[in-house]
Amino acid sequence: MVTYRAATSEDRKRAEAIDNSFTTDTVLEVTATDAEFRVTPVPVDPPVHKVYPDDEDETDGEEHVIVAIDTEGDVCGAITLAYATWNCRLHIADLRVSPPHRGRGIGTALMERALTHGRDLAARTAWLEVTNVNAPAVRAYRRLGFALCGLDTSLYVGTESEGEVALFMSRGV
């Protein structure tokens, strides 16, 4: 049994402490030209283990956070979002579920609540960014109705994620 609610300031601290690392045996190879881009799943051996730096999930501006609370009262998942009034877009800034709680639908439930919040704000689209190394997240976002809408080969230059490609995904709210 998991309950969901808007995060308190204490919940936000606990949500930021959730381990959002992952391991994958597939990455997405991105080929970009002036006219198109292609994203192809490629098996990797050994599997890639990605640990995000603490500052990589920071956002600018006003955020809304929804948390998932497990039966012991612990924050086991969270989604951070922001709304841009100028283009009526919901920005999904961060989605994380603690490793022992993954695969139980918590991420889906958090996203559904975020999209509902977006509809309440009159958002027309939801948008997010994900690294090409995080193939499991891309698969999950596709199942949730998100489609690739762009990429940035330079977003991670000068960061610990240098060499990875930022994939942008969107869907209607």
Side-chain angles (χ1 to χ4, degrees):
M1 175 78 179
V2 175
T3 58
Y4 301 88
R5 67 171 189 239
T8 64
S9 59
E10 183 59 34
D11 290 337
R12 287 175 184 237
K13 291 176 193 168
R14 292 165 51 199
E16 289 171 8
I18 292 173
D19 175 9
N20 65 341
S21 65
F22 65 90
T23 302
T24 181
D25 61 1
T26 303
V27 298
L28 301 172
E29 182 180 90
V30 178
T31 307
T33 69
D34 288 342
E36 66 181 9
F37 65 90
R38 178 172 294 132
V39 179
T40 309
V42 176
V44 289
D45 188 23
V48 172
H49 181 72
K50 171 85 175 185
V51 177
Y52 291 97
D54 288 339
D55 64 346
E56 197 165 282
D57 291 325
E58 292 180 5
T59 61
D60 299 324
E62 190 173 327
E63 302 173 333
H64 180 72
V65 180
I66 302 168
V67 292
I69 309 294
D70 67 15
T71 55
E72 282 103 45
D74 294 325
V75 174
C76 61
I79 191 165
T80 303
L81 47 122
Y83 177 69
T85 56
W86 76 273
N87 63 353
C88 301
R89 182 172 74 179
L90 185 68
H91 174 204
I92 307 299
D94 187 39
L95 172 61
R96 56 178 72 196
V97 177
S98 64
H101 291 86
R102 292 178 186 164
R104 299 181 184 178
I106 294 169
T108 297
L110 286 165
M111 184 64 76
E112 289 170 354
R113 283 162 174 78
L115 294 171
T116 297
H117 182 74
R119 282 189 293 277
D120 291 345
L121 295 170
R124 292 189 307 250
T125 61
W127 179 89
L128 59 86
E129 170 262 321
V130 61
T131 172
N132 69 299
V133 174
N134 199 347
V138 171
R139 284 191 300 270
Y141 293 139
R142 283 181 168 159
R143 283 192 305 271
L144 290 166
F146 284 82
L148 291 171
C149 63
L151 60 86
D152 187 340
T153 58
S154 66
L155 185 64
Y156 305 131
V157 172
T159 73
E160 291 182 36
S161 298
E162 187 159 351
E164 297 175 19
V165 177
L167 302 176
F168 302 109
M169 302 183 78
S170 66
R171 64 160 280 178
V173 177

